[in-house]
Amino acid sequence: MIKRLGTGLAVLWAAATASYVALLLAPGDTVDILVGDGPDTPEIRTRIVAEWGLDRPEIVQYLDYLWRLLHGDLGRSYQLQRGVGEVLATQIGPTVQLTLAAAGTGVALAGVIAVVTAGRGRWSRAAASAAELVSVSVPPFLIGIVLLSVFSFTLGWFPVSGAQGPQALVLPALALGLPIAGVLGQVLRGGLERALEQPFAVTARARGLTERALVARHALRHALIPVVTLAGWFTGTLLGGAVITEVLFGRPGLGQVAMQAVTGRDMPVVMAVVLLAAVVYVTISTLLDLAYRVIDPRIRG
């Protein structure tokens, strides 16, 4: 765990450094961005340079940036003139709601499809594999457009945009969850079929255990390790897909904040979103290492 913690801290430092380098390499002058559409005079520019510390050497600014990060200070937004932490705190709730709903949708669909089709006839497995391949191949934003066209514009079952009520969460969660279900379904079904061929499965059948009970009580646990490993992958998928999905469905959240920050060159906000994604990824990866030992006690040795 100490080694894992050290690796996680190294990843966070690398993400912070990459974000800072991106700030330096971003096109345009920081002072021009801060001036915006307001009055532009040499006195105002001098005051901005002094206020933001832009006259200091870059290495000093970098070290000051790391020091502020260690104290939880993410800086100030160029556009909104507010603390970046405050900006993210007001928008993180809808994004967390969407990612949890999408993750739950993807895992539930993958589990149902894998359990129903594992070890079954060739045609049912082929149909499930084809559906999974399509869901993995099509990007979430295109799935979202199709869902909007059919269920919002044509049938009118769900709202087109916004985040009012559970109905507004259904289509975005499906758009993000279907690609996850496609990948996890393939991996879980393969793991189940391998587990059903193991000696313990033969013994369980000889004791009179039904096929469904064998899958639920024994095979499923053996097949979970690769699925849990992929959880780290779909965490990144959810965080990246949430940006486009929230914009597509007109939902509030970090996706809207990130998009506005990128278009407005508000680099402190962009850097904070990158760091937040790195923190989430490192945290979930560490929790997955612990989950391995719970699922399969043999790993503890």
Side-chain angles (χ1 to χ4, degrees):
M1 287 304 300
I2 294 176
K3 181 180 178 181
R4 194 71 184 84
L5 181 61
T7 304
L9 291 176
V11 171
L12 294 180
W13 170 78
T17 303
S19 300
Y20 186 79
V21 171
L23 173 63
L24 295 179
L25 298 179
D29 184 38
T30 302
V31 178
D32 291 335
I33 299 173
L34 290 169
V35 169
D37 298 328
D40 187 1
T41 64
E43 292 78 12
I44 292 177
R45 286 180 169 268
T46 302
R47 194 182 313 138
I48 289 175
V49 169
E51 179 182 356
W52 291 82
L54 300 177
D55 54 343
R56 297 176 298 171
E58 293 175 351
I59 184 63
V60 175
Q61 296 184 51
Y62 169 69
L63 294 176
D64 179 63
Y65 165 67
L66 293 181
W67 179 255
R68 287 188 285 106
L69 284 182
L70 290 175
H71 291 78
D73 183 5
L74 296 174
R76 208 156 37 120
S77 168
Y78 290 166
Q79 291 180 319
L80 304 176
Q81 292 298 307
R82 294 165 53 196
V84 174
E86 179 186 353
V87 174
L88 298 186
T90 59
Q91 298 295 323
I92 196 171
T95 299
V96 170
Q97 185 184 48
L98 174 59
T99 52
L100 289 179
T105 300
V107 171
L109 288 175
V112 171
I113 294 173
V115 170
V116 170
T117 59
R120 304 293 178 179
R122 184 179 65 179
W123 292 108
S124 61
R125 294 174 62 239
S129 297
E132 290 162 351
L133 180 60
V134 171
S135 66
V136 172
S137 304
V138 180
F141 77 89
L142 188 54
I143 295 176
I145 292 174
V146 173
L147 293 175
L148 278 174
S149 300
V150 175
F151 296 104
S152 294
F153 297 130
T154 303
L155 300 176
W157 291 355
F158 300 99
V160 176
S161 62
Q164 301 299 321
Q167 280 188 318
L169 189 60
V170 174
L171 296 186
L174 277 175
L176 278 177
L178 285 176
I180 294 172
V183 175
L184 294 185
Q186 291 176 346
V187 175
L188 184 57
R189 183 171 57 253
L192 284 174
E193 291 176 346
R194 286 191 296 271
L196 291 174
E197 296 173 355
Q198 297 299 315
F200 75 85
V202 178
T203 303
R205 292 189 184 98
R207 288 163 43 200
L209 201 65
T210 64
E211 199 71 15
R212 187 167 298 179
L214 173 61
V215 170
R217 295 182 189 178
H218 302 285
L220 190 58
R221 188 170 184 176
H222 283 261
L224 280 181
I225 290 293
V227 174
V228 171
T229 302
L230 278 176
W233 166 81
F234 75 66
T235 299
T237 301
L238 287 175
L239 291 173
V243 175
I244 305 299
T245 304
E246 286 178 350
V247 174
L248 177 64
F249 287 91
R251 292 180 55 86
L254 294 180
Q256 292 280 9
V257 170
M259 188 66 68
Q260 293 171 5
V262 169
T263 55
R265 295 188 294 180
D266 195 346
M267 290 305 297
V269 176
V270 176
M271 293 159 64
V273 172
V274 172
L275 281 176
L276 179 61
V279 169
V280 171
Y281 183 82
V282 168
T283 302
I284 290 181
S285 297
T286 304
L287 293 176
L288 290 179
D289 283 348
L290 297 175
Y292 294 152
R293 291 158 174 79
V294 175
I295 294 172
D296 191 349
R298 296 173 297 178
I299 298 180
R300 298 173 191 169

